[in-house]
């Protein structure tokens, strides 16, 4: 989602919404989208960096407060806010790691998907792939007959990498649009669909994929 | 643990839906004086005794638990409003009434922690349960009418918890329609009688590796 580096801030209402959206709101949106989407989405590096900074600042502040005799009620409330934000951050990162583990070979063969990972995630994916390859080699593949020893293909005569699980992009997802979306074509049909703000739709993920990336549609 | 909800049952656990709902704003009447709170998620306060303020639900519940405020139930949680909604829900077969997206979670949290702040709490509670039942029943009957491949379903005014409960079933049902319908649409170009047309798409890989 690139709502911060606003691609179309022309409409006043939108701009208002942009400047008044807190980072926590943005993180929550990114977290929900990531949870609901079948594939891994773009890593929100700027947002995560800002959130990390804020969390760190808040941790230091809470430490100061508990030392300096500010009433324990306020301290515990600040701690609650901190816990909530940390939960969102951790959950976001964990979901992405889960998806990486699930589609490990798909990611290592696909540079477009790799570009959506953060630097640390790329390192994780690489180590994961190496470990998995080694494990499969040692425990299974080396014991199979010659033509069936490849990790990516079922057998030598397969034309494509058919042993690689890929994300199911045609799962149905529930989504809401934030703005009025003019009629657009649904994947695989001639029908046009239009969405008003706050309409709840259940659609093929494939049909709305780009719109989710651009932040026009939110997954629920 | 963060991010550990069972992916096979429902994407979001009930607790996670509640977590999202806890950011909704409610009005409280504090009984203490407190400086403004500058949270990561926003700034709230300062708090003065008997002066109403808007805070997120999680903060309201935290303060209420410590006896530092009373919570003013939202406008829609009154016996009159809810009776109207219930009537309207019963009257219409396909449409859902406009209710706050998180009405189930908000009302649950308020019943659990702020029962004494809600006038006619038993009536309100029973109305909301009836509304939930009617709506859910409506969802079920409408889903039964799905008989063919649908590219998109529009259900307006469904609430967060209802969406979450219905999501796994609807997702799989629509998926099954899609899969079976599209296999039928493959023209039988291969008039070889002993070979079935193989659909080489990776969606079917599901059965190899779980």
């Amino acid at each position: 989602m690139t709502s911060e580096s606003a691609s179309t801030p022309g409409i006043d209402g939108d701009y208002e919404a942009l400047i008044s959206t807190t980072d926590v709101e943005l993180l929550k949106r990114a977290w929900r989208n990531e949870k609901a989407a079948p594939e891994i989405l773009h890593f929100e590096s700027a947002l995560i960096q800002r959130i990390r900074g804020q969390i760190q600042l808040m941790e230091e502040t809470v430490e100061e407060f508990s030392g300096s005799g500010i009433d324990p009620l306020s301290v515990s409330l600040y701690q609650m806010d901190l816990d909530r934000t940390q939960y969102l951050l951790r959950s976001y990162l964990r979901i992405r790691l889960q998806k990486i583990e699930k589609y490990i070979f798909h990611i290592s063969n696909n540079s477009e998907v790799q570009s959506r990972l953060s630097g640390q995630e790329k390192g994780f994916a690489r180590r994961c792939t190496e470990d998995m390859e080694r494990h499969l080699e040692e425990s299974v593949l080396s014991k199979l007959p010659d033509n069936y020893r490849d990790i990516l293909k079922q057998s030598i005569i397969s034309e494509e990498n058919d042993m690689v699980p890929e994300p199911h992009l045609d799962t149905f997802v529930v989504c809401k649009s934030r703005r009025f979306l003019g009629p657009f074509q649904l994947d695989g049909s001639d029908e046009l669909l239009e969405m008003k703000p706050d309409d709840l739709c259940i659609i093929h993920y494939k049909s709305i994929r780009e719109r989710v990336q651009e932040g026009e549609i939110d997954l629920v | 643990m963060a991010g550990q909800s069972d992916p096979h049952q429902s994407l979001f656990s009930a607790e996670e839906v509640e977590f999202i709902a806890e950011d909704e704003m409610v009005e409280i009447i504090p009984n203490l004086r407190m400086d403004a709170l500058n949270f990561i998620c926003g700034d709230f306060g300062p708090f003065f005794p008997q002066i109403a303020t808007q805070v997120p639900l999680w903060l309201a519940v935290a303060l209420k638990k410590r006896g530092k405020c009373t919570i003013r139930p939202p406008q829609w949680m009154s016996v009159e409003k809810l009776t109207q909604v219930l009537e309207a829900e019963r009257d219409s077969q396909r449409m859902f009434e406009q209710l706050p997206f998180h009405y189930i979670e908000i009302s649950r949290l308020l019943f659990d922690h702020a029962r004494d702040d809600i006038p006619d709490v038993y009536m309100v509670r029973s109305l909301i349960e009836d509304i939930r039942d009617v709506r859910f029943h409506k969802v079920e009957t409408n889903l039964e009418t799905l008989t063919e491949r649908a590219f998109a379903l529009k259900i307006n005014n469904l609430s967060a918890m209802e969406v979450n409960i219905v999501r796994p079933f609807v997702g799989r049902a629509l998926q099954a329609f899609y899969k079976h319908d599209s296999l039928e649409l493959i023209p039988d170009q291969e008039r070889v009688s002993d070979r079935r047309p193989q659909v080489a798409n990776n969606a079917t890989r599901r059965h190899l590796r779980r």
Side-chain angles (χ1 to χ4, degrees):
Chain A
M1 263 194 328
T2 53
S3 39
E4 271 294 308
S5 52
S7 33
T8 49
I11 311 171
D12 274 314
D14 253 11
Y15 185 63
E16 286 297 323
L18 273 174
I19 56 179
S20 65
T21 311
T22 62
D23 275 345
V24 171
E25 268 294 317
L26 291 172
L27 179 59
K28 199 158 58 152
R29 237 181 252 166
W31 171 69
R32 281 167 101 167
N33 283 352
E34 195 72 60
K35 254 204 173 231
E39 59 174 352
I40 199 167
L41 303 173
H42 244 292
F43 185 69
E44 301 282 340
S45 39
L47 173 63
I48 299 295
Q49 206 161 352
R50 288 198 308 271
I51 292 264
R52 280 216 169 108
Q54 287 175 344
I55 289 183
Q56 195 154 5
L57 197 56
M58 189 59 89
E59 280 176 336
E60 292 165 9
T61 314
V62 169
E63 261 195 62
E64 264 181 48
F65 277 176
S66 30
S68 76
I70 304 264
D71 68 304
L73 173 65
S74 296
V75 175
S76 77
L77 294 177
Y78 274 102
Q79 186 65 46
M80 279 180 79
D81 172 62
L82 188 56
D83 288 339
R84 287 176 71 90
T85 316
Q86 279 177 327
Y87 171 78
L88 277 179
L89 178 62
R90 287 180 185 142
S91 194
Y92 177 72
L93 295 173
R94 280 212 177 98
I95 302 163
R96 292 178 64 91
L97 288 181
Q98 271 177 11
K99 283 188 193 170
I100 293 178
E101 280 183 355
K102 205 166 163 191
Y103 300 118
I104 190 72
F105 292 117
H106 171 72
I107 290 178
S108 65
N109 288 344
N110 191 320
S111 61
E112 195 270 322
V113 178
Q114 273 189 37
S115 68
R116 300 185 214 152
L117 304 180
S118 74
Q120 292 174 317
E121 286 170 349
K122 284 187 185 137
F124 172 76
R126 209 178 334 119
R127 293 193 302 273
C128 216
T129 323
E130 286 165 7
D131 286 345
M132 195 51 133
E133 279 179 359
R134 198 177 342 123
H135 166 68
L136 287 174
E137 279 286 333
E138 288 173 14
S139 48
V140 178
L141 292 175
S142 52
K143 307 194 166 103
L144 292 177
D146 275 338
N147 287 345
Y148 297 89
R149 285 197 184 171
D150 193 49
I151 285 214
L152 301 176
K153 298 187 163 53
Q154 270 195 61
S155 73
I156 287 204
I157 51 181
S158 300
E159 285 153 7
E160 340 172 297
N161 295 343
D162 47 5
M163 282 301 279
V164 175
E166 285 183 13
H168 305 292
L169 293 180
D170 44 12
T171 39
F172 280 82
V173 291
V174 184
C175 63
K176 257 189 187 180
S177 162
R178 252 181 278 155
R179 291 195 306 238
F180 185 77
L181 282 184
F184 59 92
Q185 185 135 27
L186 287 180
D187 190 65
S189 95
D190 301 322
E191 292 169 33
L192 297 174
L193 178 71
E194 55 173 42
M195 288 176 74
K196 296 192 286 298
D198 291 341
D199 268 356
L200 253 182
C201 294
I202 310 188
I203 309 184
H204 261 171
Y205 177 70
K206 241 194 281 191
S207 306
I208 52 167
R209 208 175 156 199
E210 289 101 37
R211 292 199 163 75
V212 172
Q213 294 275 16
E214 286 165 24
E216 289 180 345
I217 294 190
D218 289 327
L219 301 178
V220 169
Chain B
M1 272 221 318
Q4 293 291 322
S5 57
D6 181 358
H8 295 298
Q9 282 186 322
S10 183
L11 284 176
F12 294 87
S13 71
E15 290 85 0
E16 286 168 339
V17 181
E18 193 181 68
F19 179 78
I20 298 173
E22 283 175 340
D23 283 328
E24 295 286 310
M25 300 298 261
V26 290
E27 200 165 66
I28 59 162
I29 315 219
N31 57 22
L32 82 170
R33 166 89 179 79
M34 195 163 60
D35 286 332
L37 296 166
N38 301 106
F39 290 152
I40 302 180
C41 66
D43 301 319
F44 309 105
F47 301 93
F48 300 100
Q50 312 312 323
I51 308 281
T53 333
Q54 294 260 337
V55 294
L57 188 52
W58 64 268
L59 182 54
V61 169
L63 287 172
K64 174 74 185 176
K65 272 189 187 167
R66 294 164 169 80
K68 306 293 185 190
C69 72
T70 59
I71 304 186
R72 195 178 277 168
Q75 295 245 352
W76 56 269
M77 257 178 91
S78 69
V79 176
E80 306 91 66
K81 273 274 164 64
L82 289 174
T83 322
Q84 275 176 0
V85 170
L86 184 57
E87 299 287 297
E89 288 284 353
R90 288 196 168 130
D91 283 337
S92 152
Q93 289 284 2
R94 306 199 122 242
M95 296 274 294
F96 292 93
E97 284 305 297
Q98 184 100 6
L99 273 174
F101 192 50
H102 293 286
Y103 81 96
I104 297 182
E105 302 88 278
I106 297 178
S107 57
R108 166 59 64 87
L109 279 168
L110 291 181
F111 289 143
D112 285 346
H113 301 289
R115 185 170 306 173
D116 46 342
D117 293 337
I118 305 175
D120 300 316
V121 62
Y122 292 109
M123 194 59 191
V124 172
R125 188 177 198 152
S126 111
L127 279 169
I128 291 194
E129 283 178 10
D130 287 342
I131 292 177
R132 276 181 75 168
D133 286 335
V134 172
R135 283 169 70 101
F136 209 73
H137 187 251
K138 217 185 280 186
V139 172
E140 288 175 333
T141 23
N142 281 338
L143 286 181
E144 278 170 22
T145 65
L146 268 185
T147 51
E148 51 171 23
R149 183 185 190 189
F151 285 98
L153 262 190
K154 239 193 228 197
I155 313 185
N156 285 341
N157 293 329
L158 214 53
S159 80
M161 202 56 102
E162 288 156 357
V163 165
N164 201 40
I165 293 176
V166 146
R167 190 205 321 261
F169 170 72
V170 173
R172 282 203 289 268
L174 290 176
Q175 187 84 16
F177 276 124
Y178 183 70
K179 194 161 78 161
H180 296 302
D181 267 357
S182 69
L183 279 179
E184 277 166 34
L185 289 178
I186 289 183
D188 47 345
Q189 334 131 316
E190 308 194 324
R191 289 215 154 256
V192 183
S193 48
D194 57 347
R195 250 201 303 163
R196 274 186 320 141
Q198 280 278 22
V199 182
N201 79 44
N202 280 307
T204 58
R205 284 284 158 258
R206 183 194 284 255
H207 301 298
L208 268 179
R209 293 221 190 150
R210 253 180 207 274

